[in-house]
Amino acid sequence: MPSDKIAPFPKTRLRRIRQSSATRALTREHTLSVSDLIWPVFICEGDNIEQPVASMPGVVRRSVDKVDEAAKEAAGLGIPAICLFPYTNPQLKTPDCAEAWNPENLSNRATRAIKSAGLDIAVMTDVALDPYNSNGHDGLVVDGEVVNDLTVDALVKQALSQAEAGADIIGPSDMMDGRIGAIRLALEEHGFPNVLLLSYAAKYASGFYGPFRDAVGASGALKGDKATYQMDPANGQEALRLVARDLSEGADMVMVKPGMPYLDICHRVKEQFGVPTFAYQVSGEYAMLQAAIQNGWLDGDKVIMESLLAFKRAGCDGILTYFALDVARKLAKN
Ligand code: PBG
């Protein structure tokens, strides 16, 4: 707003609106609600298991029965979506990643368990090969190169197996070219016209994914980095090209990832395209906040909400966050 539109002091005292909690509430521009949250959960084999993830204090890997239980609580609190990430048994990881489209893989079993419980919560699944790849990459590696087009064929098979298991929202997080179009076409052809695609359109080659790779057991496997397919953190314009491309191929919603270091990108995407835009507050962001909170250096009640509200202010419609359940409990109390 140009400053000549504001009456000069003392006619304008910007502190007037801040004088009480009532006037602050009345003039508040953004709010965080439970319906803004997507909760990422890690799944593992076994029964009755909740296994802490060392680098993500407060986060556990859950066996399918426990995921089911957690989904019930999340649905009860009004969280609209849960996002599944499998910790795959290392013996099932192969260079061809065939476990990714096994109808009985962990992710598909968990999806069926949640869907058959008839809960009012959307199940989101992850399309990328890294949990199934013996070399830890999101794509197939041929002669040392992460190859694009063969990977897209594999991702289509993976996405179809997830749709067959009952996934409501499919989230391609692999950053291959052409995968949104190929998956969209396959979904149409196989009788899944209503499955949503939430494209990880602007996903950066980030250091903030470290704890996630521990959580899904991909850290040890990964050779090299993901810079040939994930974005260079120095780029902004390119994110807009990727979003435009994925929308043109049939994405319903787009995501920026990581979150807090890329709020400028969230804002630009929302401003330019006006489509449902999400941010992923990734594992490293969670770990940073939790580490400081656990040391008593930051007040968790304040910084968690503040960090999530920032996404709303930047223009996001929702946030994938490991804090989702805690935040939903807190919002339910208020
Ligand atoms: C991989 C994938 C990653 C995350 C979600 N899907 C990691 C990566 O790209 O290496 C990261 C999420 C997080 O850090 O919380 N397809």
Side-chain angles (χ1 to χ4, degrees):
M1 192 186 300
S3 56
D4 61 1
K5 293 276 188 306
I6 301 176
F9 177 84
K11 288 184 200 156
T12 296
R13 290 181 184 269
L14 287 165
R15 285 185 58 195
R16 279 188 205 115
I17 63 172
R18 288 179 230 138
Q19 65 187 279
S20 68
S21 62
T23 60
R24 288 192 294 272
L26 203 57
T27 55
R28 187 159 296 134
E29 297 175 42
H30 299 282
T31 51
L32 180 74
S33 102
V34 68
S35 55
D36 299 320
L37 304 172
I38 299 179
W39 185 31
V41 295
F42 299 112
I43 336 160
C44 63
E45 293 291 350
D47 272 316
N48 200 25
I49 289 175
E50 289 186 332
Q51 196 176 70
V53 177
S55 50
M56 300 179 73
V59 169
V60 296
R61 301 183 194 105
R62 295 172 164 82
S63 50
V64 172
D65 54 320
K66 286 285 176 186
V67 173
D68 202 24
E69 216 174 278
K72 278 190 188 102
E73 184 182 358
L77 286 163
I79 293 178
I82 189 168
C83 181
L84 306 176
F85 291 104
Y87 175 93
T88 308
N89 179 344
Q91 272 121 41
L92 295 173
K93 298 187 185 194
T94 55
D96 70 357
C97 307
E99 181 65 8
W101 50 92
N102 175 357
E104 293 304 320
N105 72 22
L106 203 45
S107 171
N108 289 335
R109 275 183 277 138
T111 300
R112 281 196 296 270
I114 298 169
K115 292 316 291 183
S116 63
L119 304 172
D120 191 14
I121 192 165
V123 173
M124 174 170 167
T125 51
D126 190 64
V127 166
L129 301 178
D130 52 323
Y132 311 100
N133 207 342
S134 40
N135 55 54
H137 277 291
D138 291 22
L140 298 171
V141 176
V142 179
D143 296 334
E145 187 193 336
V146 177
V147 292
N148 193 85
D149 300 9
L150 282 177
T151 298
V152 171
D153 295 342
L155 298 173
V156 165
K157 287 192 260 182
Q158 182 181 23
L160 282 176
S161 89
Q162 294 173 354
E164 271 151 24
D168 302 289
I169 304 171
I170 288 179
S173 70
D174 54 281
M175 289 295 281
M176 297 299 122
D177 285 322
R179 89 280 201 219
I180 297 295
I183 294 171
R184 174 55 76 210
L185 188 67
L187 289 171
E188 287 288 329
E189 284 175 353
H190 288 81
F192 301 107
N194 293 326
V195 171
L196 291 143
L197 288 180
L198 170 43
S199 173
Y200 290 62
K203 175 171 176 178
Y204 287 85
S206 172
F208 288 98
Y209 307 146
F212 174 96
R213 293 179 190 168
D214 295 341
V216 299
S219 309
L222 182 64
K223 295 177 191 82
D225 60 32
K226 300 190 176 185
T228 70
Y229 44 106
Q230 298 180 348
M231 280 181 70
D232 184 335
N235 294 355
Q237 225 33 64
E238 187 189 0
L240 304 180
R241 295 179 72 195
L242 286 160
V243 168
R245 192 269 314 269
D246 286 1
L247 290 171
S248 77
E249 291 184 16
D252 303 287
M253 312 182 272
V254 294
M255 176 136 63
V256 174
K257 178 182 175 192
M260 208 137 85
Y262 297 89
L263 284 176
D264 58 323
I265 306 300
C266 298
H267 188 247
R268 289 168 75 181
V269 166
K270 189 61 175 185
E271 289 256 302
Q272 178 140 348
F273 298 97
V275 298
T277 302
F278 292 80
Y280 198 144
Q281 183 181 54
V282 299
S283 57
E285 299 174 66
Y286 175 88
M288 278 195 305
L289 288 171
Q290 279 297 57
I293 291 164
Q294 293 202 336
N295 272 296
W297 298 335
L298 288 175
D299 178 344
D301 283 337
K302 292 209 171 80
V303 295
I304 294 169
M305 288 296 182
E306 187 177 332
S307 72
L308 295 174
L309 197 54
F311 294 110
K312 296 300 300 290
R313 198 184 59 241
C316 291
D317 296 278
I319 310 111
L320 281 92
T321 174
Y322 300 98
F323 290 116
L325 196 67
D326 290 339
V327 166
R329 287 181 185 139
K330 224 166 272 166
L331 289 170
K333 266 194 233 146
N334 295 342

